[in-house]
Amino acid sequence: MQISEGAGRIIEDDQTISINNPQTIRAWQRAKRWIGSISPPGVVAYEKWDAENAWRSGKAAFHRAWVSDYSLISFIRPQATPLPLA
């Protein structure tokens, strides 16, 4: 999300922190508006299993899982795919 706004990454290759710029602020403000619209209001308090349960029950279109979970998820929901590398 931050990269898509042209704001760079949070930690750049030279180890500097890159979050205090207008593009990053715009990206995070946009993400904040998703809460309660395309994400349930309680999403900010979700832990791993809360998010997975919402996804498995069909109440979420997307679910971010760790690589260690991929084999289980792809078995349960074969349409799962890894995120592209940026």
Side-chain angles (χ1 to χ4, degrees):
M1 165 200 62
Q2 185 170 324
I3 291 174
S4 70
E5 290 285 343
R9 300 184 318 216
I10 293 173
I11 302 175
E12 300 293 346
D13 290 335
D14 65 1
Q15 303 302 303
T16 58
I17 305 300
S18 175
I19 58 172
N20 191 15
N21 61 68
Q23 296 92 340
T24 300
I25 293 166
R26 185 173 53 247
W28 287 102
Q29 286 173 336
R30 182 178 69 174
K32 181 181 176 185
R33 289 191 302 269
W34 295 338
I35 299 168
S37 61
I38 64 172
S39 298
V43 73
V44 295
Y46 280 12
E47 293 190 19
K48 177 181 177 174
W49 296 114
D50 300 319
E52 182 152 338
N53 287 336
W55 184 68
R56 283 188 185 198
S57 68
K59 295 179 181 171
F62 301 100
H63 173 57
R64 166 64 169 96
W66 298 107
V67 174
S68 60
D69 298 337
Y70 182 69
S71 62
L72 174 65
I73 290 170
S74 61
F75 174 75
I76 296 167
R77 302 270 295 261
Q79 66 274 30
T81 187
L83 292 171
L85 299 175

